[in-house]
Amino acid sequence: MFGVDVGDSMRIIEIDCIKHVYQDQTELQFCGFKVKVEEGEIVSVLGPNGSGKTTLLNHIVGLLKPVEGKIKVFGKEPWKEIDKICRNIGYVGQDVDTQLIGPTVLDDVYFSAINFGIEGFEKDAKKLMKILGIWKLRN
């Protein structure tokens, strides 16, 4: 794990007035507050449809780059170091049907290990699927 030393805990996320502009020129700003999430804290992102929850999370995981403001995840700008950020943050978007990568569930379970160059993962992946009770879904 990498991060920023803030005493006894690690600062996971810092957000200060970020702005996003969509392709249709609609602007969304997260201003008027500063977010600081420390290691071990549990945080919920709540709001009505269209309020920007998904946009905010996409900035946190590095899928989007703000046009203004500051966002740091583990002390890094997430869009610049998305590979490091993704190794430490799990994210499931709102439409899971569009996130399937392989033709089978087992292929999807294997994907991250293959993507990160981990060898010998097959036995552990199969064991994990059995522990989670999803082995029957593998094909």
Side-chain angles (χ1 to χ4, degrees), residues 48-108:
N49 289 345
S51 63
K53 300 178 301 289
T54 299
T55 300
L56 178 62
L57 292 173
N58 283 334
H59 278 280
I60 290 170
V61 299
L63 295 174
L64 297 175
K65 176 184 176 184
V67 295
E68 291 178 11
K70 176 181 132 183
I71 182 166
K72 299 277 181 124
V73 178
F74 300 111
K76 312 288 183 193
E77 294 175 314
W79 66 92
K80 288 183 179 177
E81 301 198 45
I82 191 169
D83 58 327
K84 293 178 183 172
I85 300 301
C86 288
R87 290 177 187 254
N88 293 289
I89 291 181
Y91 175 74
V92 177
Q94 56 193 22
D95 186 3
V96 295
D97 289 336
T98 63
Q99 296 178 55
L100 297 174
I101 295 169
T104 69
V105 172
L106 185 59
D107 289 326
D108 278 353

Side-chain angles (χ1 to χ4, degrees), residues 2 10 15 17 31 50 61 89 93 103 107 118 123 130 134:
F2 57 96
M10 179 188 313
I15 301 171
C17 197
C31 290
V61 299
I89 291 181
D107 289 326
I118 300 169
K123 183 178 175 183
K130 289 175 184 176
I134 60 172

Side-chain angles (χ1 to χ4, degrees), residues 37 41-47 53 56-57:
V37 179
E41 289 184 312
I42 298 173
V43 178
S44 294
V45 179
L46 305 171
K53 300 178 301 289
L56 178 62
L57 292 173

